[in-house]
Amino acid sequence: MSFFRYVFGPKLYMEYGMSNVQKLYEPIGLEKFGDQIISTVGKAINDNKLTSLNKFPTLQLSLMWTISFYTSPLLVTFLYRRGYFVMESISTVTKISTSIGLIVMVSMIMRGMGRSQSPSYTRMVKAMELLKSPNTEEEGKRALRLFDFEFDYWKVDFDVKNIQSDEKKGKGVVLKKVSRLFRWTTFPCEIIAYFAIQTFGIRMMYPGSVKLLQSYMRSMLVTGRGKLIEEENARRFKVRTLDANDIDTIFVDNRYRNVNGKILVICSEGNAGFYEIGIMATPLSLKYSVLGWNHPGFEGSTGKPFPDQDKNAVEAVVKFAIYHLGFSVNDILLYGWSIGGYSSLWAATCYPDVKGVVLDATFDDVLYLAQSRMPQSLSGIVRIAIRDYCNLHNTELAQKYNGPINLIRRTEDEIIAEDNNIETNRGNFLALSILKYRYPYIFTTPQINRCKKQLSKPLENRNFTTPEDDLCMSRLVTYVSDQGKKFPLAIGEDYNEEVRNEMAEFLLRKHLRDFKSTHCTPLPAEFFNLPWDIPVEQDFVFT
């Protein structure tokens, strides 16, 4: 076994099955000392309880490199003014560079020697050796699943490019682009918008892609993965997208444990959410089969969470569920929280036969959220940046999907509502835009205004039906039986205002449910239901 395997091998986070107590792998001796110098490491202290990463590292070159990279313009200017870019200073720069290089080299050798003496790390290296031969590759994969280590070293389990299909999924699903005439007067704003979104803008929209935040949360993420693997028998997979990003996914198979397990819930997290500590817990409590994934740039996933990369990622995850895990499209339920609603809606437009879409605390258009959080003087630049590079327009996507949708509104939402005002919750606008598109003759101006007034306060969550509800359902079932169900429906053209009001209130309650909570509160199981749909005539009975 080559010594280089230990020197340049992956960082080991946890070994499963060694004890009933979850505990991060702790480098000891030479490995610990070497790691402290060349990388950011964590600590585990006090009764096997995991804590956050050490907030005060002494000499961590990787962190220093990251800071130096982002401050390089200032550093170059400072060094130039100090005269370090002249011939006389070359010897000084060479001495500094050589000293740093020797420190790194000695540290890596120490780390390799320490790892070679670690029983856990040695077992992992032996498992990795099995991957070299086709005869032992499967055995090696099974052995490696007992370890949690850097995902860069994980082998690809599913590559979308290997799937041969006659039909290009998602073809023709294109969001409208705002056409603008080129003007020299706006050219500086476009340049500023481009650099803003490519640097800090995308990180503001998706703070979970910031590596420093991920390092801080590493112990929580590893512990969350360990809990899913040890308690739910989850399996981790690497899925490769069309644009060659590797997506970190985890799958819990409940098909043989519970009737709900026949349905697969694909969870799309929020802008700072990870499957390790995210929304998977809700469908898992109901014994559904669940597939979680991390956005590009989040934890083990590569790339950046720009819309094109995110769309390729969720499409690859759905294909993985179909072609590798063996689920049929109509047994897949898409569940998106917050900004993850965009990912779920995109997947629904690509696979319109899915069982439905559940959107929790989701907005209609990210532009309005972005503009409300930036100075008014920058609204033009924000508009260009969003529309050209991060156009998360859920309303447009929802109008391209013909299946069942269930919306959950947080009545005390502080993220997608201004000043916690329920009347400004962007979920209101998403719900009304969907209903107005699907039932244009029912949701006319008076009914829209009436629903806006109802949405300005919490809705009553009813667990019973009334005769009026049965009558509304009967109208829908009769219409769909005669005319078919393809939105927008022409039902309601001959209704009077009273009937339209009854139908509008009924449809609003069927599509939206209130949950009294803030934006990030975990969703209780009783609020997670299969999306409502208009039943076929033979399945409809009066209650």
Side-chain angles (χ1 to χ4, degrees):
M1 239 178 281
S2 173
F3 180 70
F4 290 103
R5 278 277 187 177
Y6 294 97
V7 176
F8 299 104
K11 185 184 296 184
L12 177 60
Y13 297 130
M14 183 183 289
E15 183 177 10
Y16 303 116
M18 300 306 295
S19 67
N20 294 326
V21 180
Q22 286 191 26
K23 183 178 179 181
L24 284 179
Y25 170 76
E26 297 181 66
I28 58 175
L30 293 175
E31 180 186 4
K32 181 178 181 179
F33 186 75
D35 254 353
Q36 284 181 335
I37 298 176
I38 62 177
S39 63
T40 303
V41 296
K43 287 185 176 181
I45 59 175
N46 297 335
D47 301 325
N48 296 326
K49 293 181 180 179
L50 298 176
T51 62
S52 62
L53 292 181
N54 183 6
K55 299 177 182 178
F56 305 104
T58 54
L59 179 60
Q60 300 175 346
L61 296 183
S62 64
L63 181 61
M64 292 168 60
W65 170 258
T66 302
I67 295 174
S68 300
F69 177 79
Y70 287 109
T71 60
S72 56
L74 297 176
L75 288 175
V76 169
T77 302
F78 173 79
L79 293 174
Y80 176 77
R81 290 181 176 178
R82 289 293 181 122
Y84 283 98
F85 292 158
V86 295
M87 292 298 296
E88 291 80 3
S89 301
I90 290 180
S91 59
T92 303
V93 174
T94 302
K95 289 179 182 178
I96 295 174
S97 301
T98 303
S99 299
I100 294 175
L102 287 173
I103 291 174
V104 173
M105 185 180 301
V106 172
S107 301
M108 294 182 73
I109 293 174
M110 294 173 61
R111 183 175 70 177
M113 293 175 62
R115 287 176 172 178
S116 65
Q117 298 171 7
S118 168
S120 294
Y121 205 93
T122 301
R123 284 191 288 269
M124 184 185 70
V125 170
K126 289 180 179 179
M128 296 180 74
E129 290 289 332
L130 296 174
L131 298 178
K132 293 182 177 180
S133 171
N135 296 328
T136 59
E137 184 176 3
E138 289 302 318
E139 181 184 353
K141 286 184 177 181
R142 287 193 299 270
L144 280 177
R145 292 192 182 279
L146 297 177
F147 301 89
D148 192 308
F149 55 91
E150 286 179 288
F151 204 58
D152 290 346
Y153 294 82
W154 201 278
K155 292 199 69 174
V156 175
D157 297 289
F158 177 81
D159 192 337
V160 167
K161 294 179 181 177
N162 295 332
I163 299 299
Q164 300 297 324
S165 177
D166 297 330
E167 180 183 2
K168 168 65 178 173
K169 295 292 183 184
K171 187 176 182 181
V173 182
V174 180
L175 290 179
K176 293 183 290 185
K177 292 187 177 181
V178 179
S179 58
R180 296 192 311 271
L181 295 175
F182 176 79
R183 294 175 181 170
W184 283 107
T185 54
T186 62
F187 184 67
C189 292
E190 295 183 12
I191 295 296
I192 294 172
Y194 173 79
F195 282 105
I197 200 69
Q198 294 291 334
T199 53
F200 64 87
I202 191 63
R203 291 169 177 82
M204 288 180 64
M205 291 187 65
Y206 287 89
S209 65
V210 177
K211 297 304 178 184
L212 194 59
L213 175 64
Q214 293 178 29
S215 296
Y216 181 83
M217 298 179 62
R218 181 61 42 73
S219 62
M220 289 183 285
L221 298 178
V222 174
T223 304
R225 273 199 304 272
K227 185 176 180 180
L228 288 170
I229 290 171
E230 293 190 336
E231 296 182 7
E232 302 288 349
N233 294 319
R235 296 184 65 189
R236 198 179 184 193
F237 295 92
K238 178 181 280 191
V239 175
R240 182 157 291 172
T241 67
L242 282 175
D243 49 1
N245 280 335
D246 292 328
I247 304 303
D248 186 359
T249 71
I250 199 162
F251 171 57
V252 178
D253 191 353
N254 283 326
R255 280 176 285 192
Y256 306 106
R257 302 178 193 171
N258 191 281
V259 64
N260 282 353
K262 297 178 181 179
I263 297 174
L264 175 68
V265 180
I266 298 181
C267 299
S268 299
E269 300 288 344
N271 65 352
F274 304 85
Y275 71 66
E276 290 89 342
I277 51 176
I279 62 176
M280 287 181 62
T282 301
L284 279 177
S285 66
L286 296 171
K287 304 304 179 183
Y288 289 104
S289 293
V290 183
L291 177 60
W293 63 285
N294 284 329
H295 295 284
F298 283 53
E299 184 54 357
S301 298
T302 63
K304 293 183 179 179
F306 286 103
D308 287 344
Q309 295 186 42
D310 200 69
K311 289 187 288 188
N312 282 331
V314 70
E315 188 174 349
V317 169
V318 176
K319 286 184 176 180
F320 168 71
I322 297 170
Y323 294 101
H324 190 88
L325 300 180
F327 285 89
S328 62
V329 176
N330 53 21
D331 285 331
I332 293 177
L333 181 66
L334 301 168
Y335 175 29
W337 172 61
S338 191
I339 210 169
Y342 179 84
S343 309
S344 296
L345 283 172
W346 172 260
T349 59
C350 296
Y351 295 89
D353 294 328
V354 293
K355 197 170 193 68
V357 178
V358 177
L359 302 178
D360 180 13
T362 301
F363 51 84
D364 59 331
D365 186 349
V366 78
L367 175 63
Y368 304 116
L369 294 175
Q371 285 184 326
S372 66
R373 284 158 176 76
M374 298 295 288
Q376 182 64 30
S377 58
L378 299 178
S379 61
I381 294 176
V382 172
R383 174 176 286 274
I384 293 173
I386 294 297
R387 288 292 182 245
D388 286 359
Y389 306 107
C390 273
N391 190 26
L392 308 184
H393 204 316
N394 289 328
T395 295
E396 289 188 15
L397 283 180
Q399 291 177 359
K400 298 177 184 298
Y401 171 59
N402 204 47
I405 295 182
N406 183 28
L407 304 176
I408 300 169
R409 182 180 66 162
R410 309 295 184 101
T411 59
E412 299 174 2
D413 202 309
E414 75 284 12
I415 301 297
I416 64 171
E418 297 180 17
D419 301 322
N420 289 43
N421 184 358
I422 191 173
E423 192 172 0
T424 64
N425 190 302
R426 300 309 308 185
N428 300 346
F429 301 92
L430 178 60
L432 291 178
S433 64
I434 291 173
L435 292 170
K436 185 177 180 180
Y437 171 76
R438 293 190 168 195
Y439 308 96
Y441 293 106
I442 292 177
F443 286 87
T444 59
T445 301
Q447 284 70 45
I448 290 291
N449 293 333
R450 183 183 175 92
C451 287
K452 284 181 179 179
K453 186 175 181 180
Q454 291 176 325
L455 291 171
S456 64
K457 55 185 178 181
L459 299 177
E460 178 189 1
N461 290 326
R462 297 198 321 215
N463 295 321
F464 59 90
T465 59
T466 64
E468 291 77 12
D469 291 341
D470 286 333
L471 184 57
C472 291
M473 183 73 84
S474 178
R475 294 187 186 111
L476 289 168
V477 171
T478 301
Y479 178 87
V480 168
S481 299
D482 293 339
Q483 305 296 328
K485 188 183 68 175
K486 184 175 182 181
F487 299 115
L489 300 181
I491 184 174
E493 190 173 8
D494 56 345
Y495 289 171
N496 59 40
E497 288 300 301
E498 183 180 355
V499 176
R500 284 197 180 101
N501 290 339
E502 288 180 0
M503 292 293 293
E505 182 180 349
F506 171 78
L507 289 168
L508 179 62
R509 284 190 285 103
K510 287 296 184 181
H511 285 83
L512 185 141
R513 187 178 183 186
D514 274 340
F515 173 37
K516 186 179 180 180
S517 76
T518 56
H519 189 76
C520 297
T521 305
L523 186 71
E526 60 265 25
F527 284 85
F528 188 87
N529 300 306
L530 295 180
W532 174 83
D533 196 11
I534 304 174
V536 294
E537 190 169 18
Q538 57 267 30
D539 293 336
F540 174 68
V541 292
F542 288 99
T543 58

Coordinates of all heavy atoms in Angstrom, one line a residue, residues 76-102:
V76 N -1.6 42.6 -3.3 CA -0.7 43.0 -4.4 C -0.3 44.4 -4.3 O 0.8 44.8 -4.5 CB -1.3 42.6 -5.7 CG1 -0.5 43.2 -6.9 CG2 -1.4 41.1 -5.9
T77 N -1.3 45.3 -4.1 CA -1.1 46.7 -4.0 C -0.1 47.0 -2.8 O 0.8 47.8 -2.9 CB -2.4 47.5 -3.8 OG1 -3.2 47.2 -4.9 CG2 -2.1 49.0 -3.7
F78 N -0.4 46.4 -1.7 CA 0.4 46.6 -0.5 C 1.9 46.2 -0.7 O 2.8 46.9 -0.4 CB -0.2 45.8 0.7 CG 0.7 45.9 1.9 CD1 0.7 47.0 2.8 CD2 1.5 44.8 2.3 CE1 1.4 47.0 3.9 CE2 2.2 44.8 3.4 CZ 2.2 45.9 4.2
L79 N 2.1 44.9 -1.3 CA 3.4 44.4 -1.5 C 4.1 45.3 -2.6 O 5.4 45.5 -2.5 CB 3.3 43.0 -2.0 CG 2.8 42.0 -0.9 CD1 2.7 40.6 -1.6 CD2 3.8 41.9 0.2
Y80 N 3.4 45.8 -3.6 CA 4.1 46.6 -4.6 C 4.6 47.9 -4.0 O 5.7 48.3 -4.3 CB 3.0 46.9 -5.7 CG 3.6 47.8 -6.8 CD1 4.5 47.4 -7.8 CD2 3.2 49.2 -6.8 CE1 5.0 48.2 -8.7 CE2 3.7 50.0 -7.8 CZ 4.6 49.6 -8.7 OH 5.1 50.4 -9.7
R81 N 3.8 48.5 -3.1 CA 4.2 49.8 -2.5 C 5.4 49.5 -1.5 O 6.2 50.4 -1.3 CB 3.0 50.4 -1.8 CG 2.0 50.9 -2.7 CD 0.8 51.6 -1.9 NE -0.2 52.2 -2.9 CZ -1.3 52.8 -2.4 NH1 -1.6 52.8 -1.1 NH2 -2.1 53.3 -3.3
R82 N 5.5 48.3 -1.0 CA 6.6 48.0 -0.1 C 7.8 47.6 -0.8 O 8.8 47.3 -0.2 CB 6.1 46.9 0.9 CG 5.1 47.3 1.9 CD 5.7 48.3 2.9 NE 4.8 48.7 3.9 CZ 5.0 48.6 5.2 NH1 6.1 48.0 5.6 NH2 4.1 49.0 6.1
G83 N 7.7 47.5 -2.2 CA 8.9 47.2 -2.9 C 9.3 45.7 -3.1 O 10.4 45.4 -3.3
Y84 N 8.3 44.8 -2.9 CA 8.6 43.4 -3.0 C 8.6 42.9 -4.4 O 8.9 41.7 -4.6 CB 7.5 42.6 -2.2 CG 7.8 42.7 -0.7 CD1 7.1 43.6 0.1 CD2 8.8 41.8 -0.1 CE1 7.3 43.6 1.5 CE2 9.0 41.9 1.3 CZ 8.3 42.8 2.1 OH 8.5 42.8 3.4
F85 N 8.3 43.7 -5.4 CA 8.2 43.3 -6.8 C 9.4 43.8 -7.6 O 9.4 44.0 -8.8 CB 6.9 43.7 -7.5 CG 5.7 43.0 -6.9 CD1 4.5 43.6 -7.1 CD2 5.8 41.8 -6.3 CE1 3.3 43.0 -6.6 CE2 4.7 41.2 -5.8 CZ 3.4 41.7 -6.0
V86 N 10.5 44.0 -6.9 CA 11.8 44.5 -7.5 C 12.8 43.4 -7.3 O 12.7 42.5 -6.5 CB 12.3 45.8 -7.0 CG1 11.3 46.9 -7.3 CG2 12.5 45.7 -5.5
M87 N 13.9 43.4 -8.1 CA 14.9 42.4 -8.1 C 15.5 42.2 -6.7 O 15.8 41.0 -6.3 CB 16.0 42.7 -9.1 CG 15.5 42.6 -10.6 SD 14.9 40.9 -11.1 CE 16.5 40.0 -10.9
E88 N 15.7 43.3 -6.0 CA 16.4 43.2 -4.7 C 15.6 42.4 -3.7 O 16.1 41.9 -2.7 CB 16.7 44.6 -4.2 CG 17.7 45.4 -4.9 CD 17.2 46.0 -6.2 OE1 15.9 45.8 -6.5 OE2 17.9 46.6 -7.0
S89 N 14.3 42.3 -3.9 CA 13.4 41.6 -2.9 C 13.1 40.1 -3.3 O 12.4 39.4 -2.5 CB 12.1 42.3 -2.9 OG 12.3 43.7 -2.5
I90 N 13.7 39.7 -4.4 CA 13.4 38.3 -4.8 C 13.9 37.3 -3.8 O 13.3 36.3 -3.5 CB 14.0 38.0 -6.2 CG1 13.2 38.8 -7.3 CG2 14.0 36.5 -6.5 CD1 13.8 38.6 -8.7
S91 N 15.1 37.6 -3.2 CA 15.6 36.6 -2.3 C 14.8 36.5 -1.0 O 14.6 35.4 -0.5 CB 17.1 37.1 -1.9 OG 17.0 38.4 -1.3
T92 N 14.2 37.6 -0.6 CA 13.3 37.6 0.6 C 12.0 36.8 0.3 O 11.6 36.0 1.1 CB 12.9 39.1 1.0 OG1 14.1 39.8 1.2 CG2 12.0 39.1 2.2
V93 N 11.4 37.1 -0.9 CA 10.2 36.3 -1.3 C 10.5 34.8 -1.4 O 9.7 34.0 -1.0 CB 9.6 36.9 -2.6 CG1 8.5 36.0 -3.1 CG2 9.2 38.3 -2.4
T94 N 11.7 34.5 -1.9 CA 12.1 33.1 -2.1 C 12.2 32.4 -0.8 O 11.8 31.3 -0.6 CB 13.4 33.0 -2.9 OG1 13.2 33.6 -4.2 CG2 13.8 31.5 -3.1
K95 N 12.8 33.1 0.2 CA 13.0 32.5 1.5 C 11.7 32.3 2.2 O 11.4 31.2 2.8 CB 13.8 33.5 2.4 CG 15.3 33.6 2.0 CD 16.0 34.6 2.9 CE 17.5 34.7 2.5 NZ 18.2 35.7 3.3
I96 N 10.7 33.2 2.1 CA 9.4 33.1 2.7 C 8.7 31.9 2.0 O 8.1 31.0 2.7 CB 8.6 34.4 2.5 CG1 9.2 35.5 3.3 CG2 7.1 34.1 3.0 CD1 8.6 36.8 3.1
S97 N 8.7 31.8 0.7 CA 8.0 30.8 -0.1 C 8.6 29.4 0.3 O 7.9 28.4 0.5 CB 8.1 31.0 -1.6 OG 7.5 32.2 -1.9
T98 N 10.0 29.3 0.4 CA 10.6 28.1 0.7 C 10.3 27.6 2.1 O 10.0 26.4 2.4 CB 12.1 28.2 0.6 OG1 12.5 28.6 -0.8 CG2 12.8 26.9 0.8
S99 N 10.2 28.6 3.0 CA 9.9 28.2 4.4 C 8.4 27.7 4.5 O 8.2 26.6 5.2 CB 10.0 29.5 5.3 OG 11.3 30.0 5.3
I100 N 7.5 28.3 3.8 CA 6.1 27.8 3.8 C 6.0 26.5 3.2 O 5.3 25.6 3.7 CB 5.2 28.8 3.1 CG1 5.1 30.2 3.9 CG2 3.8 28.3 3.0 CD1 4.3 31.2 3.2
G101 N 6.8 26.3 2.0 CA 6.7 25.0 1.4 C 7.3 23.9 2.2 O 6.7 22.8 2.3
L102 N 8.4 24.1 3.0 CA 8.9 23.1 3.9 C 7.9 22.8 5.0 O 7.8 21.6 5.4 CB 10.2 23.6 4.5 CG 11.4 23.7 3.5 CD1 12.6 24.3 4.1 CD2 11.8 22.2 3.1

